[in-house]
Amino acid sequence: MSETAHALQVYTAPMLPVSNGANFGDNLSFAADLMLDDSYHLAPEAAPLRLGLHALENGHFRIATDTQTGREGATVVLDSCITLMDTQSQPIEVLLLVEVDEAGHVAQVYAMPLAPLEPKSDYRLVGIDTENAPLRFAQVACVSFTRGTRLSLATGEQRAVEDLRVGDKLLTRDDGPQPIRWIGHHTVRAMGDFAPVMITKGTLHNENDLLVSPDHRLFVYQREDKLGAGRSEVLLKAQHLVNGNTVFVQEGGFVDYFQILFDAHQIVFAEGIAAETLLIDPRTRSALPANVAETLGGTLTGHRTRSHSEFEVSQSLLNRPDAAELLLRASRGS
């Protein structure tokens, strides 16, 4: 299993009973039991729970020790991606995950919305997709740069991510100039897990505003260990730096996300900030098109041997409103 447990924000099936339709009175279930046009009511007291998961090589998951819901060690299967329509006719995609017991029977169904759901609201089921759920899950897990972000080439030139091409050499922190092997791109509504995080100009020595996916990890060298991480070099997720001022979530409209892939997981430079590129692991592998996965399958060993996870800082160390300012001072040594 992967080294790090990943925390998902989910609702359990009893929080989403059918309020109208063929399955009236039943709780949310897996795809085979669902009926289109049924309406679901999010319970007034419903609040998302943290589901801690380890990703397995077979595409399934194992519930981690640090979880608010589910049985530790149980298997979880990614079932489908459904589409709910709210009362304003806005579609909301929801990933369904199914926990199974030792006999293979369903123990619990979890709903992971890709945009916020509101308690006491009704949602009509308008779509059931059992084919593309792994892709949607991978897109959530992929670290991505947004359109317009300038990355540093090996020549010193800074080029917008959308203008990069396979074969272009970027400057990497660990391995110097390295050629890009693949560039991914998708456009999504900037809501929920897909809403990017804005790091305003100068917050972390960045030359311009930097807009990245929420789980994107940034690399900071501390001249003084002001975080108490026990080391100078640290990786931190953009969403853990949100303070509502110099770092904030930018919701609304649509966002163009780009993924940059190398033979190994790399740290590159985006608007002057050291930031990671796409890491291929059991969560993100489905983001690669089949022809690309087949072509590159034997060359991505650097992703298994190097994830930079030893540098990652836990959210607890960053759970303070001045975290970004503290890191800026730490990088200056003052």
Side-chain angles (χ1 to χ4, degrees), residues 51-297:
L51 177 63
L53 296 179
H54 289 289
L56 306 178
E57 289 295 334
N58 63 2
H60 296 165
F61 305 88
R62 190 81 66 202
I63 297 181
T65 55
D66 183 20
T67 187
Q68 280 186 304
T69 186
R71 181 177 61 83
E72 179 186 339
T75 297
V76 172
V77 177
L78 180 58
D79 175 72
S80 58
C81 181
I82 63 173
T83 303
L84 301 176
M85 190 78 74
D86 67 15
T87 56
Q88 305 301 314
S89 298
Q90 292 294 319
I92 298 173
E93 289 185 316
V94 178
L95 293 173
L96 297 185
L97 300 109
V98 178
E99 177 187 338
V100 296
D101 60 22
E102 293 87 346
H105 300 140
V106 175
Q108 184 59 272
V109 175
Y110 304 102
M112 174 185 167
L114 301 184
L117 298 179
E118 296 295 332
K120 300 187 291 186
S121 296
D122 290 298
Y123 298 91
R124 184 166 61 91
L125 179 63
V126 297
I128 305 170
D129 183 351
T130 58
E131 298 294 327
N132 293 309
L135 173 60
R136 297 304 275 163
F137 186 86
Q139 287 175 341
V140 174
C142 284
V143 297
S144 306
F145 299 100
T146 60
R147 179 178 295 276
T149 301
R150 297 183 306 161
L151 303 182
S152 297
L153 276 70
T155 60
E157 174 192 351
Q158 292 192 327
R159 186 176 298 172
V161 64
E162 66 269 22
D163 294 330
L164 293 172
R165 298 292 179 265
V166 171
D168 285 347
K169 289 187 176 182
L170 293 184
L171 179 62
T172 71
R173 174 187 174 274
D174 297 303
D175 299 318
Q178 290 294 314
I180 297 172
R181 296 301 302 271
W182 176 74
I183 300 174
H185 170 233
H186 64 274
T187 303
V188 292
R189 291 176 64 204
M191 298 290 288
D193 288 333
F194 285 121
V197 173
M198 172 66 77
I199 301 167
T200 56
K201 178 180 177 179
T203 299
L204 291 175
H205 298 298
N206 42 314
E207 298 165 0
N208 297 288
D209 290 348
L210 177 64
L211 190 65
V212 293
S213 55
D215 273 349
H216 210 133
R217 296 185 300 177
L218 309 172
F219 183 91
V220 174
Y221 178 80
Q222 302 182 99
R223 295 181 184 274
E224 299 177 19
D225 184 16
K226 293 185 178 294
L227 276 184
R231 56 186 178 276
S232 298
E233 299 173 315
V234 293
L235 271 178
L236 3 92
K237 291 183 178 180
Q239 64 176 324
H240 294 164
L241 296 175
V242 170
N243 56 24
N245 182 19
T246 59
V247 184
F248 57 88
V249 177
Q250 186 165 294
E251 285 196 324
F254 290 82
V255 59
D256 286 331
Y257 277 134
F258 293 83
Q259 302 84 42
I260 303 297
L261 178 70
F262 293 93
D263 285 339
H265 185 234
Q266 297 287 1
I267 304 294
V268 296
F269 300 92
E271 302 296 355
I273 295 181
E276 69 173 329
T277 58
L278 179 61
L279 172 65
I280 298 300
D281 63 14
R283 299 176 306 146
T284 60
R285 192 175 295 127
S286 296
L288 294 179
N291 62 320
V292 174
E294 182 177 350
T295 301
L296 300 181

